[in-house]
Amino acid sequence: HVQLVESGGGSVQAGGSLRLSCTASVYRGSWRCMGWFRQAPGKEREGVATLERDGSTSYADSVKGRFAISKDNGKNTLYLQMNALKPEDTAMYYCAATGFWCAGTPPRDFGLWGQGTQVTVS
């Protein structure tokens, strides 16, 4: 049974940094895309950053230049480095994986999700 487990969330002041981690119990070679998503209360889940199997990345406009997605294949772990955090970054952050390419794949087509980690920026 494959699981994704996120960690690294917490409370931080505006301008601060956090690094989220997402560790897979088993890495599936069929995953073409892994990504980070977030959902704030009363809002829809939105994509934050994605990482294709070939290493290409994509970011939401709201986080470009502040967030960076990366992966350590040896540790089966996906990261999200978040710098210059803003109160509007406050949300539950989820990692997810899909067998589809990142481009054009909506959140509903990511078949595997973690349980989420809360990020609060004040």
Side-chain angles (χ1 to χ4, degrees):
H1 180 62
V2 181
Q3 289 184 309
L4 298 177
V5 179
E6 301 99 332
S7 61
S11 296
V12 65
Q13 290 189 336
S17 297
L18 285 172
R19 189 177 78 158
L20 305 184
S21 299
C22 170
T23 300
S25 56
V26 176
Y27 178 74
R28 296 296 189 193
S30 58
W31 295 340
R32 288 197 173 101
C33 173
M34 295 189 74
W36 287 97
F37 298 80
R38 67 186 180 187
Q39 187 166 20
K43 294 187 177 182
E44 292 187 357
R45 188 169 297 188
E46 63 174 352
V48 175
T50 57
L51 177 64
E52 298 271 11
R53 193 165 59 191
D54 65 2
S56 58
T57 59
S58 179
Y59 297 92
D61 288 343
S62 59
V63 306
K64 282 181 181 176
R66 300 188 298 122
F67 290 11
I69 188 171
S70 62
K71 189 171 179 290
D72 185 329
N73 292 325
K75 296 182 179 179
N76 289 347
T77 300
L78 183 73
Y79 299 101
L80 185 68
Q81 178 66 45
M82 305 187 296
N83 300 323
L85 283 160
K86 304 175 181 180
E88 51 264 44
D89 295 318
T90 295
M92 184 72 79
Y93 283 71
Y94 301 88
C95 69
T98 179
F100 299 107
W101 296 113
C102 295
T105 298
R108 66 175 181 271
D109 286 335
F110 280 72
L112 184 65
W113 291 84
Q115 83 290 349
T117 186
Q118 178 68 38
V119 171
T120 303
V121 185
S122 59

